[in-house]
């Protein structure tokens, strides 16, 4: 398999590294938060907002600081169950830089796709291209052990999970595939694509009805796992539905914590599945 060295990877991401360095060294912003900000900007580029980071290179430090602040407001919005979003929700500086509307509504309407995309860029791209910068920053406050993951205060994150960042030699090889091993379709866990469905007692819902309902609203259902161990002559009261894509989750919920559907006179409530250990 073809590979690329860390040195080549740094050269390819020189602009991203320059902006990240300014955030955590020049502006002394929180390293964990800055990782998420960079991952969000990289995800925006992948979603059709080209060269957003390149446009920041020549901005003044106060402007870069303000842009990072707008990005953090998006991250906070994603993490809130009932965010307070102004009527238009526009991010003025980000919109001006992009010459294209960017709003909190856009992020929240695509909440789970955004969270999944940020996690993917953070764990597979940012974790590789910013290692030496993070080593410089966190090494001043905690002990760095060679070939051991860096301890980044703030991770594991309550919304975006954990990230493993291991210092490597500059000639260390990474396999090439997609975006240096990242592909938007292969870094989404099944849990990210799963909805939890509940039903009304006395109105039994079948797996076929679930598939029919959600296929008719235009989503691709991978599998439905009905409640098991149901007592004799009683109905399942819930199910887990795994969808083909995390975008289907946003399509069904459309920014709502719970969505209500009806088929054959029976109600089905859908919400994002959250694993409980």
């Amino acid at each position: 398999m073809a590979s690329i060295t860390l040195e080549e990877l740094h050269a390819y991401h020189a602009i991203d590294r320059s902006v990240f360095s300014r955030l955590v060294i020049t502006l002394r912003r929180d390293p964990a938060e800055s990782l998420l900000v960079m991952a969000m900007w990289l995800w925006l580029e992948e979603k059709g907002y080209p060269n957003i980071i390149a446009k920041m290179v020549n901005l003044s430090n106060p402007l870069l600081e303000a842009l990072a602040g707008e990005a953090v407001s998006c991250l906070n919005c994603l993490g809130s169950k009932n965010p307070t979003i102004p009527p238009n929700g526009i991010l003025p500086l980000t919109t001006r830089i992009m010459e294209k509307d960017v709003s909190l509504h856009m992020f929240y309407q695509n909440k789970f796709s955004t969270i999944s995309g940020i996690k993917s860029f953070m764990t597979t791209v940012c974790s590789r291209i910013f290692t030496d910068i993070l080593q410089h920053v966190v090494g001043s406050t905690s002990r760095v052990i060679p070939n051991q993951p860096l301890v980044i205060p703030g991770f594991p994150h309550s919304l975006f999970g954990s990230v493993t960042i291991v210092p490597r030699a500059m000639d260390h090889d990474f396999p090439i595939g997609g975006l240096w091993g990242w592909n938007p379709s292969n870094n989404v866990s099944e849990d990210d694509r799963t909805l939890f469905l509940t039903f009304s007692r006395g109105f039994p819902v079948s797996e076929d009805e679930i598939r029919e309902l959600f296929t008719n609203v235009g989503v691709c259902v991978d599998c439905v796992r009905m409640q098991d161990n149901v007592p004799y002559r009683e109905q399942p009261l819930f199910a887990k539905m795994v969808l083909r894509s995390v975008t289907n989750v946003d399509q069904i919920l459309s920014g709502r914590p719970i969505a209500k559907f009806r088929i054959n006179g029976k109600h089905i409530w859908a919400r994002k599945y959250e694993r409980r250990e």
Side-chain angles (χ1 to χ4, degrees):
M1 180 181 291
S3 61
I4 185 171
T5 67
L6 181 58
E7 185 175 12
E8 292 168 323
L9 198 59
H10 281 186
Y12 182 84
H13 286 281
I15 291 173
D16 308 320
R17 284 170 50 79
S18 172
V19 171
F20 182 71
S21 179
R22 287 175 65 193
L23 290 176
V24 296
I25 296 176
T26 306
L27 298 175
R28 299 180 180 274
R29 294 186 64 88
D30 178 74
E33 184 182 84
S34 298
L35 270 176
L36 292 170
V37 166
M38 292 299 302
M40 192 192 86
W41 285 336
L42 287 166
W43 177 80
L44 272 176
E45 288 191 345
E46 198 264 337
K47 285 298 175 183
Y49 292 80
N51 304 318
I52 182 171
I53 299 175
K55 293 176 181 179
M56 299 177 188
V57 171
N58 294 320
L59 295 180
S60 67
N61 286 331
L63 273 178
L64 181 60
E65 178 91 57
L67 280 168
E70 288 190 349
V72 170
S73 70
C74 294
L75 298 174
N76 292 338
C77 177
L78 293 171
S80 173
K81 291 187 177 179
N82 295 292
T84 301
I85 301 177
N88 62 18
I90 293 293
L91 303 175
L93 278 175
T94 308
T95 293
R96 194 174 87 194
I97 292 293
M98 291 309 304
E99 300 178 349
K100 187 176 180 181
D101 282 354
V102 184
S103 70
L104 290 174
H105 288 288
M106 179 189 80
F107 283 92
Y108 204 71
Q109 288 292 317
N110 299 282
K111 175 176 179 175
F112 298 104
S113 305
T114 305
I115 292 171
S116 176
I118 290 172
K119 284 197 296 187
S120 289
F121 271 102
M122 180 184 68
T123 58
T124 61
V125 179
C126 295
S127 66
R128 297 175 178 179
I129 66 175
F130 302 137
T131 304
D132 58 325
I133 301 170
L134 287 165
Q135 190 173 6
H136 172 78
V137 174
V138 304
S140 62
T141 58
S142 61
R143 184 164 166 257
V144 175
I145 303 173
N147 299 317
Q148 293 296 314
L150 295 177
V151 176
I152 309 294
F155 287 109
H157 190 277
S158 58
L159 187 63
F160 297 99
S162 59
V163 60
T164 302
I165 300 174
V166 181
R168 307 285 189 186
M170 291 299 281
D171 59 355
H172 180 85
D173 287 338
F174 293 101
I176 296 176
L179 181 62
W180 313 136
W182 181 83
N183 181 288
S185 64
N186 64 13
N187 280 282
V188 178
S189 72
E190 184 176 288
D191 285 358
D192 287 338
R193 298 181 284 114
T194 300
L195 287 173
F196 188 75
L197 309 178
T198 54
F199 322 119
S200 296
R201 192 178 296 277
F203 296 87
V205 176
S206 70
E207 178 179 337
D208 286 343
E209 286 176 313
I210 293 171
R211 288 183 176 275
E212 178 186 349
L213 169 65
F214 289 102
T215 299
N216 286 341
V217 300
V219 302
C220 297
V221 178
D222 260 0
C223 71
V224 176
R225 300 186 181 117
M226 304 295 290
Q227 177 188 1
D228 55 11
N229 299 321
V230 179
Y232 180 61
R233 290 187 176 177
E234 292 193 18
Q235 68 173 88
L237 293 175
F238 62 84
K240 291 192 295 183
M241 179 173 67
V242 183
L243 301 169
R244 186 69 51 83
S245 166
V246 70
T247 57
N248 290 156
V249 175
D250 286 316
Q251 187 177 343
I252 290 171
L253 295 180
S254 190
R256 298 165 293 181
I258 299 176
K260 184 179 180 180
F261 298 89
R262 183 183 176 97
I263 185 169
N264 300 331
K266 308 166 190 177
H267 291 120
I268 297 177
W269 289 265
R271 63 176 170 82
K272 181 67 178 65
Y273 171 71
E274 295 179 8
R275 181 177 293 275
R276 288 178 169 81
E277 299 300 337

